[in-house]
Amino acid sequence: MRLTVFGATGGTGVQIVRQALDAGHRVTAVVRDPDALTVRHEALEVRVADVTDPRALRPLLTGREAAISALGARGNAGAGIASAATRAIVEAARDCGVRRFLAVSAAPVGPVPEGESLLIRTVILPLVSRTFRPQYDDLAVMEDLIRGSALDWTIVRPPRLLDRPLSREYRRVVGGNVPKAHSVSRADLAHAVLAMVDDPATVRQPVGVAR
């Protein structure tokens, strides 16, 4: 499959690129700084582009079968990039006839799953939401843009991300968040995202992923 990956130099993005190549896909990695992506492969094309400009993205999506976005702000000061880029990606994908689009969001943007403890519901989650409000507000706008599109989208919502090896022992919930699970490795998240690319059960659904 021919995939275009946005946010390819981030912690999750590089895992998506690496695992997609290992699985035999051809990957176009869209980056700001090509030197920041250390992955090398004959099936990898690295392209520099302004991810907020749909005209710049059309050549990077033409002929591809799916687009994956792992874009996100590295801190509250950078909030806004996820929604701005998604607006451009959705427009470019529509113009190029790319139907499948998967985007990484965050668990706090979705509903609190049943079964969470009182401490989590009343203290931890509100504190996290306040601390990272600009980023979550940006992701909420991103999700609205995706849901309002005609694409075959999937919104993936992980909780806290960890730099740990691939375990394949994560859980997922289609239509909600994973209960009583508050972290997942970036490697497992990437594995889950790639597994959803051709999974019809996840089309036009938010999907929680956690271990």
Side-chain angles (χ1 to χ4, degrees):
M1 187 175 290
R2 293 162 297 178
L3 308 174
T4 297
V5 179
F6 298 92
T9 59
T12 300
V14 71
Q15 286 287 340
I16 292 171
V17 168
R18 184 175 289 118
Q19 292 185 39
L21 292 167
D22 289 345
H25 300 298
R26 299 194 67 84
V27 177
T28 298
V30 184
V31 302
R32 287 184 299 178
D33 177 8
D35 293 333
L37 184 61
T38 58
V39 180
R40 298 292 182 268
H41 197 283
E42 61 181 9
L44 173 64
E45 177 187 19
V46 180
R47 300 287 298 273
V48 177
D50 177 359
V51 294
T52 65
D53 181 358
R55 293 170 298 180
L57 302 186
R58 289 179 193 129
L60 311 182
L61 288 167
T62 300
R64 276 58 167 194
E65 290 149 291
I68 300 172
S69 175
L71 284 163
R74 297 182 184 273
N76 286 340
I81 184 61
S83 57
T86 297
R87 185 176 286 105
I89 294 168
V90 166
E91 180 179 335
R94 180 199 64 204
D95 293 345
C96 296
V98 178
R99 295 287 308 171
R100 193 72 175 107
F101 178 45
L102 302 94
V104 176
S105 183
V109 182
V112 178
E114 292 185 9
E116 288 292 359
S117 69
L118 183 64
L119 177 65
I120 292 294
R121 287 188 288 107
T122 63
V123 179
I124 303 299
L125 287 178
L127 177 61
V128 169
S129 296
R130 285 196 301 271
T131 302
F132 301 105
R133 182 172 299 281
Q135 296 177 65
Y136 294 147
D137 286 349
D138 182 30
L139 291 173
V141 174
M142 178 194 80
E143 290 196 9
D144 287 343
L145 289 167
I146 294 171
R147 282 192 295 267
S149 76
L151 303 180
D152 293 334
W153 54 265
T154 299
I155 294 167
V156 186
R157 293 181 181 144
R160 185 166 64 102
L161 297 174
L162 304 175
D163 289 317
R164 292 182 180 174
L166 177 65
S167 73
R168 296 183 174 86
E169 295 178 357
Y170 57 85
R171 294 175 286 156
R172 76 177 200 183
V173 172
V174 177
N177 285 341
V178 181
K180 299 182 179 180
H182 307 119
S183 66
V184 68
S185 74
R186 290 179 171 86
D188 280 338
L189 174 59
H191 187 273
V193 169
L194 290 168
M196 293 181 212
V197 170
D198 59 358
D199 182 355
T202 66
V203 172
R204 301 189 72 80
Q205 292 283 349
V207 180
V209 176
R211 183 163 182 187

